[in-house]
Amino acid sequence: NPLDVIQAAPILVTAFMCHTQVLRLHAEFEKPTRTRFRGVIHGSLGYSASMYCLVGVFGYMYATEHTCGNILLNFPTQDPLAVAVRFLMLLIVLGNIPMQVLPGRKAFFYVLKHSPRLTSSLLGTSHTHEQ
């Protein structure tokens, strides 16, 4: 169903948002060691998981066993506050997707700049090291 794909798009975008940021984040470190980088990754994932759990628990407490996968479906469609929140979610999703273009582009060019073999294979030229 095409509507299901459209409804799943925000989940997919959110799930893959961080991948384009990893190389740029690593490049911003003054001393990029594996230990420091792992600390940042674990800290950010831990924070995100905590927030998801917190929202999930309060969402479940609101509607208990009648909780829908999309918490906004628990509210009546005529409720003005629910309509406003749905509209704000639409703006967040629409604003979020374009915001990923620039970091993705930067990460792509960062990889190209630091990987001459990849660049030459994409351009169809041979890469030789001068001694």
Side-chain angles (χ1 to χ4, degrees):
N1 186 357
L3 186 58
D4 291 340
V5 173
I6 292 170
Q7 289 177 340
I11 297 169
L12 295 172
V13 169
T14 303
F16 292 104
M17 268 180 12
C18 66
H19 292 85
T20 60
Q21 304 293 338
V22 172
L23 292 173
R24 297 296 301 161
L25 178 66
H26 190 270
E28 294 295 324
F29 275 48
E30 288 182 24
K31 296 177 184 175
T33 64
R34 282 183 181 223
T35 305
R36 295 178 72 203
F37 195 63
R38 279 187 189 139
V40 169
I41 298 296
H42 291 160
S44 61
L45 288 176
Y47 174 76
S48 297
S50 308
M51 295 310 294
Y52 273 109
C53 288
L54 189 65
V55 168
V57 165
F58 282 108
Y60 183 76
M61 287 171 53
Y62 170 77
T64 60
E65 67 271 357
H66 303 292
T67 302
C68 297
N70 179 350
I71 191 131
L72 293 177
L73 296 177
N74 290 330
F75 300 99
T77 56
Q78 296 81 15
D79 182 10
L81 184 59
V83 171
V85 170
R86 287 183 182 106
F87 179 72
L88 291 173
M89 285 298 295
L90 170 72
L91 292 179
I92 288 169
V93 170
L94 289 176
N96 193 17
I97 293 171
M99 286 177 57
Q100 296 308 310
V101 172
L102 183 61
R105 183 180 153 271
K106 282 185 176 182
F108 177 73
F109 285 117
Y110 177 83
V111 168
L112 285 181
K113 180 180 176 184
H114 292 88
S115 178
R117 255 189 216 151
L118 178 62
T119 305
S120 62
S121 67
L122 287 174
L123 295 176
T125 60
S126 63
H127 176 73
T128 58
H129 291 288
E130 293 183 19
Q131 297 288 339

